[in-house]
Amino acid sequence: MFESDPAVTALIQAVIAQRQHQPDSKFIWLADEHPIQPSLLDRLPKDSLLFISNRFDQHQLAESKGMVSQFSDFELKPEDKPEELFIRVPKERALTHFLLNQAREHLPIGGKLWLFGYKNEGIKTHIKRASTLLGCKAKVSKGKNQLSIACLEKTHKNSEPLDDENYLALRQISPHEAEPLWSKPGIYGWNKIDSGSSLLIQTLSAHKDCREGHRILDIGCGYGYLSLWAAQQKPILLTATDNCFGALEATSRNLNTSTAKIQASNAGDCINGEYDLILCNPPFHQGFSTSPNLHQRFLANTQRLLSENGIAWFVVNQFLPLERVASANHLNAEEIARDNGFKVLRLTPL
């Protein structure tokens, strides 16, 4: 069953209510990964609301409902000119600070910022900082389970923005690597070399499943660590895909080659063709909890995209019963390695 985010539901209800009071205002909703109940989008105004998300699946959902939508990293442009800005507070502080700085920069005097979040997400602190940025006192109402809904009307622009860790900029994260790796906040595991990915490359390098001339796909590429290894194997085709705008930007910088195809897609949904080798270190969580639906999507697309003699290599947390989901998708999963809380699986078509 679809799990909606109650704070997002409250945000949608606020947009609808404000649209009735301010029919000529331009609204912008900055949406990250928090789940959206698709049917609720049918009720939203299509002519005065711009939807912006750094998640490709959210962007696709909005477009499928006839909304004007942008897939980007939330960098507002001067011509966007929002009069009311709606934000479901993200989990990552750097991104939250960046979005609040966007409100500071782009809302006009008298413009309104709406924030939605919970006590355990630090919403009280975010509201306080936003109040300082916009020079106003927030009007706060409460919802269920310690949900806070804040409306802030801008009176001036504070001269000092919040520290957002230079959110938009790519930065080097691997001073000891032979080649620099570029990443940024907002990408899953953005500031480290994932130990699961290292185990996957170490294990695969000892086998003969990857040969020159293969067609290789990296599903859920992150900043492109697995794709970089794949590029060194001299494939005739290399495709890297991810749901996150920042991940695609970082992968493009890291690969620095015109021979790789980098494509936005949720768990490989938009990828077509056949591949001899598929690599995957999936996030396998939605929010902070594992999502069986996400397991299913990754594996169903893997089965669809593998060539007749193709092989997929996955690395996942040891506790995940991926073998059972693989079997349901006509894939045989063989455990090849296990270390440091991860297991490496070799998947072949049944």
Side-chain angles (χ1 to χ4, degrees):
M1 176 178 283
F2 182 89
E3 286 188 30
S4 61
D5 181 83
V8 170
T9 301
L11 183 154
I12 292 172
Q13 292 169 343
V15 171
I16 294 169
Q18 286 301 108
R19 178 70 171 84
Q20 293 174 344
H21 293 119
Q22 304 289 339
D24 298 323
S25 291
K26 182 175 181 180
F27 298 167
I28 294 182
W29 175 5
L30 303 179
D32 72 338
E33 64 191 88
H34 289 96
I36 302 171
Q37 179 65 50
S39 61
L40 292 177
L41 298 185
D42 294 326
R43 303 168 52 198
L44 287 170
K46 306 300 191 294
D47 56 341
S48 59
L49 174 64
L50 172 61
F51 183 93
I52 302 177
S53 182
N54 66 344
R55 304 289 165 170
F56 190 66
D57 59 335
Q58 305 281 51
H59 165 67
Q60 283 185 304
L61 173 61
E63 284 198 327
S64 73
K65 296 295 184 177
M67 300 172 64
V68 178
S69 178
Q70 293 178 5
F71 177 51
S72 74
D73 227 347
F74 304 116
E75 187 176 14
L76 296 180
K77 301 180 286 293
E79 58 266 28
D80 289 329
K81 296 181 179 178
E83 292 168 280
E84 300 200 28
L85 198 58
F86 296 81
I87 299 171
R88 163 63 172 102
V89 172
K91 299 180 181 71
E92 190 165 355
R93 185 178 68 173
L95 175 53
T96 300
H97 283 187
F98 176 74
L99 297 183
L100 295 180
N101 286 338
Q102 291 288 84
R104 164 190 173 273
E105 183 66 26
H106 293 280
L107 278 175
I109 300 301
K112 293 179 180 178
L113 169 65
W114 293 80
L115 296 177
F116 303 78
Y118 293 92
K119 182 178 180 180
N120 64 357
E121 298 172 334
I123 185 63
K124 185 176 180 180
T125 299
H126 295 315
I127 293 172
K128 181 178 179 180
R129 288 171 176 164
S131 298
T132 302
L133 279 179
L134 304 182
C136 62
K137 184 176 180 180
K139 297 178 181 178
V140 182
S141 58
K142 300 292 184 179
K144 294 181 179 179
N145 301 320
Q146 298 183 319
L147 170 66
S148 291
I149 302 168
C151 177
L152 303 95
E153 185 171 335
K154 181 177 176 181
T155 62
H156 71 268
K157 181 172 74 173
N158 190 299
S159 59
E160 291 297 327
L162 296 173
D163 178 12
D164 59 17
E165 302 177 31
N166 199 14
Y167 172 77
L168 287 177
L170 294 171
R171 70 286 314 266
Q172 292 187 32
I173 62 166
S174 54
H176 303 297
E177 291 288 306
E179 295 291 334
L181 293 175
W182 297 85
S183 187
K184 65 182 294 295
I187 303 171
Y188 180 70
W190 75 271
N191 58 350
K192 62 183 180 181
I193 296 176
D194 184 80
S195 54
S197 292
S198 296
L199 177 63
L200 177 58
I201 289 176
Q202 176 186 341
T203 307
L204 181 54
S205 296
H207 288 69
K208 297 181 180 180
D209 284 347
C210 184
R211 297 187 297 274
E212 183 176 341
H214 268 176
R215 297 163 295 179
I216 304 177
L217 171 64
D218 181 0
I219 304 181
C221 61
Y223 59 75
Y225 187 70
L226 296 179
S227 291
L228 274 169
W229 179 86
Q232 296 168 6
Q233 313 312 307
K234 300 181 180 179
I236 59 170
L237 172 64
L238 172 58
T239 301
T241 182
D242 203 280
N243 193 40
C244 172
F245 186 91
L248 300 172
E249 185 180 32
T251 296
S252 180
R253 175 72 177 272
N254 284 322
L255 287 177
N256 192 28
T257 173
S258 60
T259 60
K261 180 181 180 182
I262 300 169
Q263 183 175 342
S265 181
N266 181 28
D269 284 356
C270 299
I271 305 300
N272 293 308
E274 288 189 344
Y275 290 87
D276 306 301
L277 180 65
I278 294 178
L279 307 176
C280 190
N281 179 2
F284 277 1
H285 68 282
Q286 194 162 309
F288 289 127
S289 62
T290 58
S291 169
N293 178 59
L294 199 54
H295 303 183
Q296 167 65 22
R297 296 184 76 152
F298 271 92
L299 289 166
N301 285 317
T302 295
Q303 192 278 334
R304 176 177 62 86
L305 293 165
L306 274 178
S307 63
E308 182 178 357
N309 297 311
I311 301 170
W313 286 74
F314 273 59
V315 60
V316 296
N317 288 329
Q318 290 180 7
F319 69 86
L320 288 175
L322 197 70
E323 296 87 340
R324 185 172 68 244
V325 186
S327 179
N329 285 279
H330 309 289
L331 293 167
N332 177 64
E334 176 188 5
E335 184 176 316
I336 303 298
R338 182 180 285 243
D339 188 40
N340 197 28
F342 294 95
K343 60 183 177 183
V344 175
L345 301 174
R346 183 178 184 267
L347 291 83
T348 53
L350 286 173

